[in-house]
Amino acid sequence: QIRKLLASTDKKLADAARAKFGTVREERSPDRERVIAEVRKMFFERPGDPHRGLAVFKKVCSQCHKFHGEGDEVGPDISTNGRGSLEQLLSNVLDPSLVIGPGYQAHTIATTDGRALTGLVVEDNEQRILLKTQGGKTETIARADVEEMRASKLSMMPENLEKQLTEEELLDLLALLVLDKPPSDPEAKPISGAPAVKSR
């Protein structure tokens, strides 16, 4: 439905949909679908440890995401965003470019001195562009120094996260992310569709 709105010939409607929902890739990737199915199956067979998952989050996610007060806010705060169900979570973690929310479209800027910077545009005017990059840093580029600026079709979040982590690390990270509260909270419970997880 979102794709139909974005493709509307009514420019006002398409712009409103883009502002509300961001961008949605035209097609699903069969490779990513296969990875999601494999990880889902593995997670139900061997739910990870959420406490160990916290260490994985700090190592690979916290430079761009905040989670229950931990980390930097470059991408969405995932305490409240993108975890409505296990299916949504798996898609966001393992196929991050499928849906890119409004305000999180990465841009790459080529400068006249040969640099290439990628980040989120937080300010764009006749004098300068402010770009928020990984780790919460901000780059200021004078308008006169911009040779080219283009929106990326890919999320700033890296693809193929499953290849950057061991199976145990990935399962532990998911065990953390499926909980609606921090793992230290005795009332924490899994989000919709997720298996029960517990510390070992």
Side-chain angles (χ1 to χ4, degrees), residues 79-94:
S79 313
T80 55
N81 193 305
R83 298 183 311 119
S85 68
L86 177 63
E87 291 310 307
Q88 185 186 31
L89 173 66
L90 289 173
S91 180
N92 286 337
V93 170
L94 299 169

Side-chain angles (χ1 to χ4, degrees), residues 62-123:
S62 65
Q63 61 181 323
C64 286
H65 291 288
K66 194 165 268 192
F67 188 59
H68 300 304
E70 294 266 355
D72 288 305
E73 219 167 330
V74 178
D77 181 339
I78 53 179
S79 313
T80 55
N81 193 305
R83 298 183 311 119
S85 68
L86 177 63
E87 291 310 307
Q88 185 186 31
L89 173 66
L90 289 173
S91 180
N92 286 337
V93 170
L94 299 169
D95 193 6
S97 296
L98 178 62
V99 178
I100 302 173
Y104 298 108
Q105 184 87 49
H107 284 73
T108 299
I109 295 175
T111 63
T112 52
D113 60 0
R115 292 181 300 152
L117 305 166
T118 299
L120 303 178
V121 176
V122 292
E123 184 182 317

Side-chain angles (χ1 to χ4, degrees), residues 22-36:
T23 62
V24 179
R25 197 171 61 213
E26 286 304 309
E27 71 289 323
R28 286 187 172 271
S29 159
D31 175 60
R32 292 289 88 201
E33 291 291 295
R34 178 184 55 75
V35 169
I36 289 170

